Amino acid sequence: MLLSTVTFLPVAGAVVIALLPRAQERLARSLALLTTLAAFVISLPLYTGFDAGQAGYQFVERGDWMPSLGITYHLGIDGISLLLVLLTTFLMPLAVLSSWHSIERRWKEFAVTMLLLETGMLGVFVALDLFLFYVFWEAMLIPMYLIIGIWGGTNRVYAALKFVLYTLAGSVLMLVAILALYFQHGAATGIYTFDLPVLARYLVPAGLGQNLLFLAFALAFAIKVPMFPFHTWLPDAHVEAPTAGSVILAGVLLKMGTYGFLRFCLPLFPQASLAFAPWIVALAIVGIIYGAWVSTVQPDLKKLVAYSSVSHLGFVMLGLFVFNAQGLVGGIIQMVNHGLSTGALFLLVGMIYERRHTRLIADFGGLWKVMPAYSALFLIVALSSLGLPGLNGFVGEFLILVGAFQWNVTVAALATTGIIFAAVYLLWMYQRVVFGEVTREENRRLADLSAREWVVLLPVLALIVWIGVYPAPFTGVTEASVQALLAQVHAKAAATAALVPR
């Protein structure tokens, strides 16, 4: 019951908070923090009890839900989803703590929304039934819509609506594909089921049908990644979202897209995945370079970090679709790294926004003289985001480039330029914000990090250094699952090809 407890504990916390009188906002805030901390602590045995040498699903829970329709309550994790579950439970208490003062109204509703969002995100990563996965996928849309639309900036309603419309458009296509797969499997085998392990053993006939099913799933996931050219909702959502929304959006929600490719597209439609790989790799390379170039010219700190996500997640997509162990392990580790580094960047941007109520780079300068601790931590996070050796970003990007080099040297060379551009936009931004003279009077009175802000940032920094110096505990838990996934993809692709009439 460990997975169910971790997944639904936030809902229990949300119900308790919802029953509190409106005047008890301080208690609601504390309960939200305690609930997210409890979910994190309870999730730790998932790591300590995980058998890294076993490729299959672990901590499995299964029960009938709607047996007449072949719908089951089926949860489980493998080396691919384990780190994402832990990343979610790790970031949530930090996001709640970062909102302590920045959320000034409706704290009770905000706490309930954040906790419901956590359950939706965790459910996506642990569901092993396609219907259950779709329920969680859609369920987490509403809380994020509310977080952006109620507690966001001036254009929050537009940004929230754009986020939902984009995601919903992809989701509807995915639902159609799920139903098509369900009926196709039922007609072929006589077993009508949404159970993922059962469907993963089924050979979807090669050709137009498999390609269309792949594209329907892929579009939903590509929007959520977000891959170029489906990324345009992202900068608006990030800019308008409150700090906690941006942290969770970058840290967890974007990973649902890359996770979806790994969990569903590759094992269910292996031949189509291999066939479309060159196109996806090409879009990933465009995203890497485009995201970096656009980041360079952004005057707004949050928008710069938002566009950098397009570039960083381009690396993840590249790693997933070069179809070798280095690329896939690198892609999974880079999902975690992006969640930590970009999440920390949004936390840092939020901290100076709380002080100055501006995010424009031109409004800063010389912060090292008035906020030395903040500036030092900002430097470490910026260096981790650009992939400096010894910090977490290097590990993921290095593995991805090794995998890409085996796939195609030109592709690897083009991807490498993204690291150079990242150094340009991040260091240039850092130089303008932190170095030089203090040119604005308001900046001379800025306070350095508070005790609460240290508590928020230090755990993230510890992981950034830990993964950079000693990544084995993180890469080790994914390797067996990645090897099994690769073997499954290639075996099913070959078997599917053999069925094609000649």
Side-chain angles (χ1 to χ4, degrees), residues 302-327:
K302 232 180 175 186
K303 225 167 191 175
L304 183 151
V305 180
Y307 275 109
S308 76
S309 292
V310 178
S311 184
H312 288 309
L313 288 162
F315 271 104
V316 176
M317 290 303 298
L318 173 64
L320 303 190
F321 277 85
V322 295
F323 288 101
N324 53 53
Q326 291 86 354

Side-chain angles (χ1 to χ4, degrees), residues 29 33 93-103 107 243 347 350-351 354-355 448-459:
R29 195 165 52 181
L33 180 61
L94 303 181
V96 171
L97 200 53
S98 73
S99 308
W100 217 247
H101 298 307
S102 60
I103 298 298
W107 236 105
T243 298
L347 287 171
M351 287 171 188
E354 281 182 39
R355 289 164 170 76
D448 209 343
L449 293 176
S450 66
R452 178 183 58 85
E453 290 167 337
W454 275 105
V455 171
V456 171
L457 289 173
L458 279 181

